[in-house]
């Protein structure tokens, strides 16, 4: 694996939370000389340029990627196929192309369809916030977070070197790199990310449906637990629509497991089976401790959000 | 309503997160001269005393409440009935008794069964953390949080004065006070607290069941959303067992609403109905904004837990 890596010109396609964070992070780590932003929304380009996220901007993808030795596809997952199809002819020879999408099956398909002269390495940095847009990006987003690579089945040395370069890029911005199959990624992330988001969207939506409890009461008494769910339910709707459309099988599979478990809980409540409830609640306590110990979570109570004087 | 309030001797029965926080808060606000702790666990008493949470400790309830003009029942909800039955004879004449439980129907029943010479005002401060025990308590826990009172249907002036005193106590430790029926409380909190906890316990438990995803992977990739749920799933199992056993009807009702909404989401995913998903995800975004604006949540991305250098 290459220990360090340097790019002349990076082109970030889709300058949102992840694209702009990676731009900031690469600049901070001096991994790139020049950053071009491509976004179909000219306003996003203007804002990103004003923020110093990108050096230049372009709404035309073909023009924007010209001369780039690194192309970062940070669009919603549903756009990756179409963007990759354009890059197949538009990207410079030898360019490293990475995506940052939360579903890797669709990125792998796009990577497999690429001509051999360019090197698409599907990537997923498991990091984010509930905010969107170029203003939301920050350089330390990937620090100590995992980035999963699901390379295409290519045996040529140029591609292998590209995978090493992609890994070095993520290491360079503070992430820890793991390589696995796209299929396993999509199941593992269905558990740790996609199902949690679906549940959060659903519980926040369902709260609205209880007619006799006013929205104002939900707001006032949200510190009882509900507010936690509103964080990920505030995430970008288009990004998440695309995740569910593109990881249907794995999400439906883990959702089935969840629904079974929920039925067991429901029955324990209906039957007043206190021992079953206590056992189930006790069993899950250890996992948070492990997550805190692995450096993936704050040890402070309430995520530390109450640390500041209120 | 009384503007300020002062007690000679408070007796805290159950010196856990809420009991010890209230002790700290009352002391900080100079609302009490002396605090006695009662806990059936002598070790808890010793720890609370060492921490300065309580002045004296007692494992015997009858001895502990002697001379107290304020009695705080901060046990799990399932113990409130039995504790109240003891207090009916053990509490001093005119003592104000409050509980802090998350279910108010059961506390109201206990309050109604009290002799007229003592005044039980059911209370629920909607505040907490995922931690337990006397070490977890801190004085600012109730700042800007709501405390709901569900008084007994008593018309005598002594009881009305006791309700005012209870309200003044909560105001004195920084909370905002609301009065409602126990029935409405139990439905509203089923939405904003009980269902979220049940879902969090369930999703964390269900993650364990996907055999092909290792526990280590769940830990590593938890920053994708899962880690948020582990916070409330780390809450005290006995406390939560008692909540579900004692608020069965309301929890089953809102759980039914949630399951319906989840079925709608599931179908949209199965059918690839992107518009339905996007609309649903867009609709819930506003609620978090309202919660932040109401001072019930941090505006910082990721709850601000990543503000510190990692």
């Amino acid at each position: 694996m290459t220990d360090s890596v340097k790019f002349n010109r990076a082109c970030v396609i889709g300058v949102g939370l992840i694209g702009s964070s990676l731009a900031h992070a690469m600049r901070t780590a001096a991994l790139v000389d020049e950053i071009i932003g491509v976004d179909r929304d000219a306003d996003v380009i203007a804002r990103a340029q004003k923020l110093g996220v990108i050096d230049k901007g372009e709404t035309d993808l073909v023009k924007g990627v010209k001369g780039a030795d690194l192309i970062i596809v940070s669009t919603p997952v549903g756009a990756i196929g179409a963007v990759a199809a354009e890059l197949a002819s538009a990207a410079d020879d030898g360019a490293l192309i990475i995506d940052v999408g939360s579903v890797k099956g669709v990125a792998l398909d796009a990577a497999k369809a690429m001509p051999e002269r360019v090197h698409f390495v599907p990537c997923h940095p498991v990091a984010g916030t509930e905010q969107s847009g170029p203003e939301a990006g920050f350089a330390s987003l990937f620090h100590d977070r995992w980035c999963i690579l699901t390379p295409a089945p290519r045996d040529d040395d140029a591609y292998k070197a590209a995978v090493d370069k992609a890994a070095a890029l993520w290491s360079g911005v503070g992430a820890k790199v793991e390589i696995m199959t796209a299929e396993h990624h999509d199941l593992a992330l269905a558990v740790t990310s996609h199902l949690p988001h679906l549940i959060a969207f659903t519980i926040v939506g369902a709260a609205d449906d209880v007619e006799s409890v006013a929205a104002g009461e939900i707001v006032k008494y949200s510190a009882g637990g509900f507010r936690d769910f509103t964080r990920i339910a505030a995430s970008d709707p288009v990004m998440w629509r695309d995740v569910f459309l593109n990881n249907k099988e794995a999400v439906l599979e883990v959702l089935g497991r969840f629904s079974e478990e929920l039925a067991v809980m429901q029955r324990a409540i209906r039957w007043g089976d206190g021992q079953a409830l206590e056992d189930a609640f006790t069993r899950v306590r250890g996992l948070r401790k492990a997550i805190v110990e692995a450096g993936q979570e704050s040890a402070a109570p309430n995520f530390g959000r109450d640390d500041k004087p209120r």
Side-chain angles (χ1 to χ4, degrees), chain A:
Chain A
M1 196 175 283
T2 318
D3 284 329
S4 73
V5 70
K6 180 77 189 263
F7 299 93
N8 296 320
R9 181 186 290 182
C11 177
V12 179
I13 302 173
V15 193
L17 166 66
I18 303 297
S20 65
S21 290
L22 190 49
H24 281 302
M26 289 184 70
R27 218 188 282 278
T28 302
L31 302 182
V32 65
D33 285 332
E34 189 182 17
I35 302 178
I36 314 297
V38 169
D39 204 289
R40 59 182 181 184
D41 185 342
D43 181 54
V44 167
I45 290 293
R47 281 150 55 202
Q49 205 160 355
K50 201 171 164 192
L51 289 162
V53 176
I54 56 175
D55 297 305
K56 284 184 214 160
E58 185 61 70
T59 52
D60 184 276
L61 185 142
V62 174
K63 284 189 201 154
V65 299
K66 201 101 215 141
D69 51 349
L70 172 65
I71 298 170
I72 298 159
V73 183
S74 41
T75 64
V77 164
I80 291 174
V83 167
E86 283 197 77
L87 293 176
S89 57
D92 276 18
D93 279 351
L96 169 62
I97 302 171
I98 63 170
D99 78 311
V100 297
S102 303
V103 184
K104 296 270 63 76
V106 63
L108 180 63
D109 290 343
K112 283 180 183 169
M114 277 286 162
E116 212 172 311
R117 63 175 197 86
V118 293
H119 314 298
F120 187 158
V121 181
C123 301
H124 178 207
V126 185
T129 79
E130 67 278 19
Q131 303 191 344
S132 315
E135 293 80 5
F138 56 100
S140 66
L141 180 62
F142 310 108
H143 282 187
D144 293 335
R145 296 291 164 260
W146 288 88
C147 183
I148 299 169
L149 275 50
T150 65
R154 275 177 58 173
D155 276 336
D156 55 305
D157 289 341
Y159 190 76
K160 285 183 192 159
V163 174
D164 287 349
K165 258 204 270 185
L169 163 59
W170 289 110
S171 299
V173 297
K176 299 184 271 194
V177 174
E178 190 89 74
I179 293 182
M180 63 178 70
T181 66
E183 194 185 0
H184 186 70
H185 169 279
D186 288 355
L187 182 63
L189 272 289
V191 173
T192 66
S193 179
H194 307 173
L195 180 67
H197 276 79
L198 185 70
I199 296 302
F201 286 126
T202 303
I203 198 171
V204 176
D208 262 352
D209 291 347
V210 184
E211 304 80 15
S212 49
V213 177
E217 290 184 303
I218 295 170
V219 170
K220 280 157 95 172
Y221 313 131
S222 62
F226 183 80
R227 60 178 177 163
D228 285 24
F229 292 73
T230 64
R231 188 187 76 76
I232 61 179
S235 302
D236 185 60
V238 171
M239 175 199 153
W240 282 98
R241 176 200 69 192
D242 281 5
V243 167
F244 296 115
L245 294 178
N246 287 282
N247 198 23
K248 187 194 287 201
E249 282 73 26
V251 169
L252 291 177
E253 162 67 20
V254 300
L255 179 52
R257 307 288 187 122
F258 171 80
S259 295
E260 276 171 34
E261 189 86 11
L262 190 60
V264 171
M265 295 285 204
Q266 184 165 6
R267 193 175 57 177
I269 292 172
R270 196 180 297 281
W271 290 5
D273 187 347
Q275 195 59 53
L277 292 172
E278 189 182 339
D279 289 350
F281 302 166
T282 303
R283 212 179 56 215
V284 302
R285 275 192 121 175
L287 202 50
R288 182 169 180 83
K289 200 161 164 270
I291 291 172
V292 169
E293 281 167 3
Q296 298 301 309
E297 178 59 290
S298 164
N302 271 332
F303 305 116
R305 62 182 155 202
D306 299 331
D307 280 0
K308 293 137 212 149
R310 281 181 278 140

